[in-house]
Amino acid sequence: MGWFNTCALEPGLFVTREPAVAEMFRAAAVTVLGRDRDLQFDFGCGLAPLRPGLPLSGGPVLAVASHAHVDHIGGFHEFTDRLGHMAETAGFAGLPGLETFVAEFRGWPHLVSTPPAPGWTIADWHLPPAPLTATLAEGDRIDLGDRHFTVLHLPGHSPGGIALLDETDGLFLSGDAIYDDDILDDLPGACIPDYVLTMERLRHLDCRLVVGGHGPEMSRTEMVAIAEAYLRKRG
Ligand SMILES: [Zn+2]
Ligand SMILES: [Zn+2]
């Protein structure tokens, strides 16, 4: 088996993960095939070249990062059109000012269960800068030709966390704004009052299928239950 594992969820919708990476950093990289261009939403940890392992069509690709944490931007530099929220520009560019958790990743015990290449050690890994080529904000549209996504700015987990919603078919790519696992809201850069507002918003969001930044896919009912549990705890 290769380094990446890709699942087809629906026609034109794929989720790629790194099964050998510790659960804390095992994030979902989502591919959506479009008529005019493909969307790649998030980019793994950068432990192996990502792009050749993705089920892309071979046409143009819009690369959108949900936020600048290391487990979501490892292969971002492999793409030329790189979009993300302006609140995290420093993180994407590898500059100080935004926590990307590179040091934690590097020092994580048992980071991988098998190495990505024979003889590999963490000393071989680095996170190449991937400065944004354009910024996204709340309400912006991502146009793939035959389907469109609306950008939602959902801070809390990180200041510039974004999610993408296809309002026509109800597909919601939530990044780390919400996922079916422990919700991390006390990291450097996180903000609980912002997260409460984000969860309040998600609780009322009209969608059908939710692909989170971690954990299994969710129905809307499952997502709402996670948002409401968070609000009971922190709201
Ligand atoms: Zn993550
Ligand atoms: Zn994160």
Side-chain angles (χ1 to χ4, degrees):
M1 199 179 91
W3 180 252
F4 298 100
N5 178 259
T6 298
C7 296
L9 294 189
E10 294 184 339
L13 171 64
F14 303 88
V15 179
T16 298
R17 296 187 174 88
E18 294 165 285
V21 171
E23 207 175 341
M24 179 72 172
F25 292 103
R26 196 185 307 148
V30 184
T31 306
V32 182
L33 304 182
R35 186 192 65 206
D36 298 345
R37 58 193 69 81
D38 298 338
L39 164 69
Q40 182 58 40
F41 185 64
D42 283 355
F43 304 91
C45 297
L47 294 162
L50 174 70
R51 192 168 181 161
L54 292 174
L56 293 161
S57 70
V61 183
L62 283 178
V64 179
S66 64
H67 63 308
H69 288 167
V70 57
D71 48 332
H72 298 261
I73 59 168
F76 201 25
H77 66 101
E78 298 174 41
F79 296 81
T80 50
D81 293 318
R82 295 185 299 269
L83 295 87
H85 195 273
M86 63 179 66
E88 300 195 13
T89 49
F92 297 119
L95 301 170
L98 189 102
E99 188 51 80
T100 56
F101 300 103
V102 163
E104 287 76 4
F105 183 78
R106 200 178 276 288
W108 198 257
H110 310 294
L111 179 66
V112 296
S113 58
T114 57
W120 177 93
T121 72
I122 191 65
D124 300 328
W125 175 85
H126 73 294
L127 183 67
L132 297 179
T133 58
T135 56
L136 293 172
E138 169 72 28
D140 284 350
R141 301 259 285 171
I142 301 285
D143 180 3
L144 304 187
D146 54 346
R147 66 187 299 175
H148 304 81
F149 289 87
T150 302
V151 174
L152 278 64
H153 178 211
L154 300 173
H157 174 83
S158 72
I162 56 169
L164 301 180
L165 174 64
D166 183 332
E167 287 164 315
T168 304
D169 95 336
L171 173 64
F172 182 48
L173 310 178
S174 66
D176 279 359
I178 193 164
Y179 46 83
D180 186 3
D181 206 335
D182 285 343
I183 297 292
L184 300 178
D185 65 358
D186 55 358
L187 306 164
C191 174
I192 291 172
D194 283 353
Y195 223 148
V196 167
L197 296 175
T198 282
M199 289 299 192
E200 200 49 74
R201 188 174 176 194
L202 291 174
R203 184 185 175 194
H204 299 290
L205 192 77
D206 187 15
C207 62
R208 170 182 62 86
L209 172 65
V210 185
V211 183
H214 298 263
E217 291 74 57
M218 296 170 276
S219 65
R220 178 178 184 274
T221 305
E222 289 167 328
M223 180 186 78
V224 169
I226 291 166
E228 290 183 342
Y230 183 87
L231 290 166
R232 279 195 297 277
K233 189 171 134 199
R234 300 285 206 208

